[in-house]
Amino acid sequence: MMQTADLYDFKVTWEPFLLRVGFPADGVEKPPQYQNIDKTGHLYLAGKSVGIEFTGKCKRFPNTILGHTMLEYAKSLDPTRRIQNEAAERIFQAYFTDGQYPDRSLLDSIASDMKFDMSAYHSYMDSQENVKQAEQSALKWRSQVQTGVPFFIINGRPCFSGAQESDTFVKTFANL
């Protein structure tokens, strides 16, 4: 986006999506084949090209419903979605790079660091209705987007999924 920021206005929105449905709240232990990161793989290299290091340090696959609930709350705070995007980036950093499990304690810490109104945040996160709504939205997106994450919809048009090189976006933007 930085390469074309002078040409286009961007609004990034993170929608809930479940890669793994039905996980317990504390997730599940990663099987041995997922314990080490393939540092020659497409995802690792794409992440590295934009400053993200996938370390595989967290030994559990997470149940992400609470993370999605937090991101839905952050989305409600700012129509530009900058707050939501920052929250998503912090969750990703914590899990994928630092190896921290995205449980409620970690999410609360991120919310506090981001200077959320903690009373309003806790009220939102403690509402089972909000958690259920995030889960229903995630299941809706899962039924519509079956190719993988991230999935990119640009100007309302489904475009592609998975880690992409910057040039893919530049070419897509030019063809819109």
Side-chain angles (χ1 to χ4, degrees), residues 144-160:
Q144 294 177 1
V145 179
Q146 298 179 7
T147 57
V149 294
F151 188 83
F152 297 91
I153 299 170
I154 301 172
N155 284 353
R157 190 179 92 198
C159 290
F160 41 78

Side-chain angles (χ1 to χ4, degrees), residues 138-171:
L139 293 172
K140 177 195 85 162
W141 281 107
R142 184 179 173 85
S143 72
Q144 294 177 1
V145 179
Q146 298 179 7
T147 57
V149 294
F151 188 83
F152 297 91
I153 299 170
I154 301 172
N155 284 353
R157 190 179 92 198
C159 290
F160 41 78
S161 68
Q164 301 292 324
E165 300 294 332
S166 302
D167 290 346
T168 302
F169 289 97
V170 172
K171 289 174 187 172

